[in-house]
Amino acid sequence: MDPGLLAQHVFNGLMLGVIYALVAVGFTLFFGVLDVIKFSHGDVVMLGAFTALAVSVGLTGGGVTSSPLVLAAMLVAAIASMALVGALLARLLVLPLRRAPAINVLLITLMAGTVIREGVRLFYPQGSNPKPFPRLLPGGSSELGAFTLRHDSAILFAVGVLAIVGVHLVLTRTRLGLAIRAVAQDPETASAMGIPFTATVLATFAIGSALAALAGVVNGLYYSEISFNLGLLLGAIGFSAAVIGGLGNVYGAILGGFLFAALQTIGAVALPFASAYKDVFAFAVVIVVMAIRPAGLLAERSAERV
Amino acid sequence: MTSSVWPALAALVVSAVGVLALLLAEKQWAVIAIIIAAGAAMFLARRFDWNERIRRSGAANSRKVFLAAMVLVVGAAFVMREHNFALLMLCTVMLMMVAGLGLTLQFGQAGVVNFAGAAFFGIGAYAAAVFATKTALPHLLVILAGGFFAALIGSVLVLPLLRTRGHYTALITIAFGILFKTFLEVNDALGGPQGLKVPGFVLFGHAFNDPIEIDEETEWSFYLAYAGLSLLLVAAAYAFVRRLERSWIGLAFDAVRIDETAASAFGVNVAAWKIAAFSIGNFLIGVAGAAYAMMTGFVAPTSFTFGDSLILVSIVILGGLGSALGLIPAALVVVVLPEKLQAIQEYRFLLFALLVIVILLVRPGGLLPRALRDYRVGAPR
Amino acid sequence: MTTPLLDARGLVVRFGGVTALDGLDLSVAAGETVGLIGPNGSGKTTFFNALTGFVRLAAGRAQLAGSDITGLEPRRIAAHGIARTFQRLRLLLELSVFDNLMLGQHLVLDHGPWSNLFVRRRFTAEVRRQAEAARALLAAFSPGLPARLFEPARALTMIDRRRVEICRALIRDPALLLLDEPSAGMTPDETAELMTDLLAVKAQRPALTVVIIEHDMAVIERVSDRCVVLDYGRKLAEGPYAAVAADPVVRRAYLGED
Ligand SMILES: Nc1ncnc2c1ncn2[C@@H]1O[C@H](COP(=O)(O)OP(=O)(O)O)[C@@H](O)[C@H]1O
Ligand SMILES: [Mg+2]
């Protein structure tokens, strides 16, 4: 294959991988502190994107023309409101079911995701149609043989990587990160050491959902279009990525995100018959990986205690 | 102590009349009045402690009550003989119950999660489309082939399902559901996004899609024949699942669901029972899909989305996890209400999602929670 | 000497860096009751788990009545005639007491579709027979229990749950019964009562072989023919209770004396 074309595919794959990793980290953080899957996470990504879109429509309609200003406002609004939504979902739906079978939490959050998705479809003006997302980043591109690097994509990629590094720093360098890791390790001991359980859980859900909002905005800016049901597939992909990496393992989730993107890219490029099968291929590989490594790639084997 | 059959029978007749009225109601105010009446009836039953009497009477006379229910469905179908749409809804409720019974077996009894219910329903439907157009297989066998194919394709998932637990298992079925729908959309052999036409059901030379002509003036809906078929399927599936539940097999399923460790310590072959529940369940779901496809005349990928799988799961949760009886009101609520209440039609996914959230928070046992196992069907205590 | 019923040699179990069983040898004669004691974390439960196939052995072999059960799946080991209770109760709380006991009978019951689904008359007769047997067994432990056969296990008190768990293990007449701290969470009076019942059941079934893990030394003294002390996954001492209890090594390691 032409090296320029190859580079193009690799970069596109990396771009997707960053978005998936941002979503997967949320799944894995939630699983870490509460051992639950919050399946509404994909729809929180979507809601974040729509919140940003609403802010941009409002500001542009109100006469604000400075792109950086609009973009900053979009990001702040989306991130802050999704952090709140995430914490609320945890408080109202997830924590009350702590003693119930784990599958009930998956179900209730699946349904919460449906509520969010349908809410946007029904109540956002013409919500059932795809919406154009404003192009607010500098246009332009650099060519290198067959490889075209769009500058906006490069910026988005850098932002995504920075956010992931930021989460890593929060988890390893701050008191909050310490608290999150302690609760993930052993809630009882953490409580005994004076770490407030509920507050830590809510903070974790806020952080994960803030990342989801960022993923939503990045996704919107990258594709220049969003729709109410983008969260379903993105949620399933983020969940898959987190599971491939090994639930609860943040680095596994990041790895899983890039792996899933790689699978899709390989599926689109290398499959002889049709690139349309790329998702079929990617999810089929996920199922096979689960059969071979039932607890993910980076999971240490831990048998259930009898 | 023997319990009289009358309380259960009375409750059954009242419910049947209510459902019939709902199916035939045309004015919105009538629909709302019926719903309010149903709510009032439930409140009264609770207020005067009828529920327990009805339950006991039903449990002690389950065979008679089962037969009476079948007679009532036949009667209701006859009353609706000239109403296409009402009959279509009745058939849909019954076929959704068949699928729900399959899911109940997997999910509610053996604890094998399946978030790809719509995919297995779709496999049954596509299998019916292919077999009915490409082969001369008698149509009753086409429907069984739908179930068989659902179970067969499901067996691809058996290995990963057995090796994983909890959330990991859930992911496998979610991934499979998405994969299946995407596959249908991009695959030309199966009609792509447009789907396939499915021939109507033919039994002993009688084409179910022909209206039934009684005389010059009167013509009965062709859905009447499908109602008969659906009733046959749902009655067989219900009796089968209930008997299974009230046997040593049902106990093995429960043990596998509740505690795999304890089960295996007493010799239970956890993997084998999971495979059994998963395959039988998929068979039932596939049968329902095949019958549904032949009734509606076409299949397309858009009917087998993840959202549709969630609707199936909602039916099971709403009725009460593992409760076969609960599927009746649950399927009615999920299938009929949005069709009848135009005000909520547009909002139905939203409302069902909210309903399931409320159920999970305040009444996790569902509308008719599953009772303790009683092995002695109909036998005096 | 005849071959022992249970013969375990050189059992080694490791969890990451922890060696929970460190070359343990233990054999039990048919009909014997062995008390297994040792400080918390000394590997007692792990020994049961290794015997019943729930943890993997890094080394060693186990034989039951002459046949090798090393490395078999739990369900296969159960079929060889080992039944057990769990330190943390594992009753199926949402099912009836009867269902729980019938789980204990799983290997005996006929699961064929024909008899379960179609010949219901014969099936209900079988249910009635099993219910009688279940009542009789429960009655040996508490006169009130048989009447509660068709109540959910969740409705029972702690001591009754323990009793039902023991009955679930006993009902199939296992060759070897493993009891993991049956008195945990009970008052001394309740414990004494449970042990009296257990001794009575044992008296009726002389062939029954029992290994019991217990913290309460009085219980061990009362029920065991022989007692084995574990420490750090190794056998520290072995013999009749009185001799073991007087052993200075045991007193230092276990009873915390110096
Ligand atoms: N599933 C397991 N995973 C990791 N460590 C275990 C596991 N089971 C037991 N252990 C460890 O093995 C040692 C022995 O435990 P156990 O057999 O439960 O002791 P006992 O029953 O004598 O109190 C302990 O250090 C315990 O922490
Ligand atoms: Mg122990």
Side-chain angles (χ1 to χ4, degrees):
Chain A
M1 189 189 286
D2 176 69
L5 202 59
L6 183 67
Q8 190 74 60
H9 286 308
V10 169
F11 181 76
N12 292 350
L14 286 175
M15 190 61 224
L16 285 181
V18 160
I19 297 176
Y20 297 165
L22 285 175
V23 182
V25 165
F27 273 107
T28 222
L29 281 177
F30 308 151
F31 188 83
V33 289
L34 275 186
D35 284 2
V36 300
I37 290 297
K38 176 171 159 283
F39 203 85
S40 50
H41 197 52
D43 296 294
V44 173
V45 173
M46 179 276 295
L47 190 59
F50 269 88
T51 308
L53 179 63
V55 167
S56 96
V57 170
L59 286 182
T60 321
V64 183
T65 50
S66 149
S67 288
L69 200 63
V70 174
L71 190 57
M74 284 162 69
L75 274 174
V76 169
I79 289 177
S81 50
M82 286 315 105
L84 188 67
V85 166
L88 274 178
L89 287 173
R91 187 78 204 83
L92 299 179
L93 302 182
V94 181
L95 284 175
L97 290 190
R98 256 196 101 200
R99 309 253 166 260
I103 207 69
N104 287 20
V105 177
L106 180 64
L107 277 168
I108 206 169
T109 56
L110 272 167
M111 296 304 163
T114 307
V115 170
I116 295 175
R117 193 159 60 246
E118 287 291 299
V120 168
R121 181 176 77 85
L122 293 164
F123 303 120
Y124 195 89
Q126 272 108 51
S128 48
N129 301 329
K131 300 269 149 201
F133 204 83
R135 294 171 186 274
L136 295 168
L137 292 171
S141 57
S142 316
E143 313 258 332
L144 221 130
F147 176 46
T148 310
L149 179 65
R150 274 168 51 192
H151 295 161
D152 54 353
S153 301
I155 295 172
L156 289 175
F157 182 73
V159 167
V161 171
L162 279 179
I164 290 171
V165 172
V167 172
H168 166 76
L169 291 179
V170 167
L171 283 179
T172 51
R173 301 285 164 83
T174 64
R175 287 177 59 94
L176 177 60
L178 185 68
I180 291 175
R181 282 182 296 140
V183 169
Q185 189 83 166
D186 180 357
E188 262 97 65
T189 315
S191 296
M193 282 163 30
I195 295 172
F197 176 77
T198 307
T200 309
V201 168
L202 295 185
T204 312
F205 275 73
I207 293 176
S209 305
L211 281 178
L214 182 66
V217 176
V218 169
N219 187 71
L221 288 169
Y222 183 61
Y223 288 110
S224 306
E225 186 179 274
I226 57 175
S227 87
F228 75 97
N229 58 10
L230 71 88
L232 209 52
L233 190 61
L234 216 46
I237 291 175
F239 185 12
S240 303
V243 164
I244 296 177
L247 282 174
N249 183 329
V250 174
Y251 308 106
I254 297 166
L255 174 73
F258 284 100
L259 268 179
F260 197 96
L263 284 175
Q264 276 184 322
T265 311
I266 293 170
V269 177
L271 283 188
F273 29 108
S275 65
Y277 286 91
K278 70 180 192 328
D279 287 347
V280 176
F281 172 71
F283 280 110
V285 173
V286 168
I287 293 176
V288 172
V289 169
M290 297 316 303
I292 298 167
R293 300 271 311 183
L297 293 177
L298 294 194
E300 55 222 79
R301 288 188 60 85
S302 73
E304 185 208 6
R305 271 204 178 198
V306 176
Chain B
M1 184 191 80
T2 47
S3 178
S4 152
V5 69
W6 295 111
L9 221 46
L12 194 62
V13 171
V14 169
S15 321
V17 170
V19 171
L20 185 63
L22 180 65
L23 287 174
L24 288 175
E26 274 166 15
K27 300 271 184 296
Q28 284 297 290
W29 62 261
V31 173
I32 292 168
I34 292 165
I35 293 170
I36 292 174
M42 278 192 278
F43 174 77
L44 285 178
R46 199 164 170 166
R47 174 78 177 67
F48 293 106
D49 268 343
W50 294 337
N51 287 338
E52 184 51 27
R53 275 176 67 191
I54 294 170
R55 196 195 62 72
R56 233 182 300 130
S57 147
N61 302 282
S62 57
R63 264 186 215 152
K64 286 180 200 156
V65 174
F66 182 76
L67 282 179
M70 297 205 15
V71 170
L72 282 172
V73 174
V74 171
F78 182 73
V79 172
M80 298 185 287
R81 64 192 174 274
E82 286 173 19
H83 296 81
N84 272 333
F85 188 60
L87 277 173
L88 172 63
M89 272 188 292
L90 179 68
C91 295
T92 307
V93 167
M94 291 195 279
L95 293 178
M96 283 299 154
M97 271 187 68
V98 175
L101 283 164
L103 211 55
T104 292
L105 201 65
Q106 299 176 329
F107 188 25
Q109 296 184 9
V112 182
V113 292
N114 182 358
F115 286 107
F120 292 107
F121 195 85
I123 293 173
Y126 271 87
V130 171
F131 276 98
T133 38
K134 301 268 156 73
T135 71
L137 208 60
H139 283 176
L140 263 181
L141 293 185
V142 166
I143 288 192
L144 293 183
F148 178 73
F149 262 78
L152 187 75
I153 295 183
S155 64
V156 172
L157 295 186
V158 158
L159 183 70
L161 281 183
L162 290 180
R163 305 233 325 143
T164 52
R165 273 155 197 261
H167 298 107
Y168 294 87
T169 318
L171 173 69
I172 286 170
T173 60
I174 291 174
F176 178 75
I178 296 176
L179 181 159
F180 175 77
K181 188 200 165 228
T182 321
F183 175 81
L184 289 179
E185 273 172 351
V186 297
N187 184 303
D188 294 329
L190 292 174
Q194 271 73 48
L196 297 173
K197 276 207 163 64
V198 191
F201 195 82
V202 179
L203 186 67
F204 306 130
H206 172 66
F208 276 37
N209 285 20
D210 296 342
I212 305 161
E213 283 183 36
I214 299 304
D215 56 42
E216 243 85 298
E217 265 99 274
T218 23
E219 206 181 81
W220 291 355
S221 163
F222 71 96
Y223 282 119
L224 210 50
Y226 283 107
L229 177 69
S230 309
L231 178 61
L232 189 78
L233 292 176
V234 77
Y238 188 86
F240 173 71
V241 169
R242 285 295 275 166
R243 282 190 171 205
L244 212 56
E245 184 197 337
R246 299 195 269 213
S247 75
W248 305 134
I249 300 176
L251 172 58
F253 284 155
D254 278 331
V256 167
R257 180 188 79 247
I258 301 170
D259 189 340
E260 286 185 22
T261 299
S264 58
F266 291 99
V268 178
N269 187 344
V270 172
W273 290 112
K274 279 189 178 175
I275 295 175
F278 191 61
S279 305
I280 300 174
N282 285 339
F283 177 83
L284 290 178
I285 300 172
V287 162
Y292 188 76
M294 297 191 86
M295 179 174 78
T296 52
F298 89 112
V299 287
T302 42
S303 336
F304 311 118
T305 61
F306 183 55
D308 296 290
S309 292
L310 286 187
I311 290 281
L312 271 178
V313 172
S314 307
I315 293 181
V316 171
I317 303 282
L318 197 60
L321 209 55
S323 160
L325 191 64
L327 290 172
I328 303 175
L332 278 167
V333 167
V334 170
V335 174
V336 178
L337 276 196
E339 297 292 348
K340 278 296 177 180
L341 272 182
Q342 279 129 31
I344 69 163
Q345 183 144 45
E346 182 67 7
Y347 301 91
R348 63 172 174 226
F349 289 113
L350 184 72
L351 291 176
F352 290 144
L354 283 172
L355 188 60
V356 173
I357 289 175
V358 171
I359 289 268
L360 284 171
L361 285 175
V362 305
R363 196 182 159 90
L367 291 175
L368 291 176
R370 182 175 171 198
L372 275 187
R373 186 188 334 276
D374 182 356
Y375 294 89
R376 295 150 300 176
V377 203
R381 291 191 168 243
Chain C
M1 198 185 126
T2 54
T3 51
L5 177 79
L6 173 71
D7 191 23
R9 305 224 160 263
L11 302 186
V12 177
V13 171
R14 295 198 187 91
F15 298 110
V18 180
T19 303
L21 288 185
D22 192 2
L24 180 68
D25 297 325
L26 207 157
S27 44
V28 184
E32 197 181 15
T33 300
V34 171
L36 192 57
I37 59 176
N40 254 328
S42 59
K44 305 180 298 290
T45 299
T46 303
F47 173 62
F48 278 11
N49 288 343
L51 280 186
T52 48
F54 287 106
V55 299
R56 265 206 18 234
L57 284 172
R61 311 207 65 75
Q63 290 197 327
L64 191 77
S67 50
D68 198 341
I69 56 167
T70 320
L72 296 185
E73 284 174 69
R75 69 184 176 94
R76 303 243 180 244
I77 293 173
H80 273 85
I82 301 187
R84 67 174 289 184
T85 66
F86 295 90
Q87 183 169 356
R88 281 183 52 202
L89 243 106
R90 288 198 107 119
L91 281 187
L92 313 178
L93 291 178
E94 63 208 79
L95 303 187
S96 66
V97 172
F98 181 65
D99 280 358
N100 275 281
L101 295 179
M102 288 305 104
L103 174 60
Q105 282 285 55
H106 178 84
L107 285 164
V108 175
L109 298 174
D110 176 5
H111 288 86
W114 181 251
S115 64
N116 274 274
L117 299 179
F118 301 112
V119 213
R120 289 298 288 196
R121 198 181 300 275
R122 205 160 75 208
F123 178 79
T124 33
E126 168 73 1
V127 168
R128 210 164 290 138
R129 223 171 15 250
Q130 292 290 349
E132 280 321 303
R135 285 202 183 89
L137 184 60
L138 288 173
F141 283 84
S142 158
L145 264 181
R148 312 191 64 179
L149 192 59
F150 288 101
E151 285 182 31
R154 192 184 297 290
L156 301 184
T157 56
M158 191 61 182
I159 177 169
D160 277 344
R161 291 184 191 182
R162 284 273 174 208
R163 287 170 171 147
V164 171
E165 218 195 25
I166 294 172
C167 287
R168 179 173 74 178
L170 267 173
I171 193 162
R172 190 172 43 102
D173 255 329
L176 176 62
L177 174 66
L178 306 177
L179 299 174
D180 196 347
E181 298 202 26
S183 75
M186 297 199 308
T187 66
D189 285 350
E190 288 173 337
T191 307
E193 202 187 318
L194 189 66
M195 291 307 142
T196 308
D197 300 334
L198 198 63
L199 285 172
V201 168
K202 176 77 179 79
Q204 281 173 8
R205 309 175 187 214
L208 179 67
T209 312
V210 183
V211 180
I212 177 171
I213 296 176
E214 214 13 282
H215 269 301
D216 188 336
M217 297 305 276
V219 168
I220 292 291
E221 179 172 15
R222 206 173 140 208
V223 302
S224 68
D225 303 323
R226 183 160 63 97
C227 137
V228 172
V229 188
L230 288 195
D231 197 22
Y232 293 106
R234 265 186 298 252
K235 190 154 64 181
L236 198 63
E238 174 172 20
Y241 175 80
V244 165
D247 187 332
V249 183
V250 175
R251 298 184 75 88
R252 208 161 32 241
Y254 188 39
L255 304 174
E257 293 180 9
D258 39 16

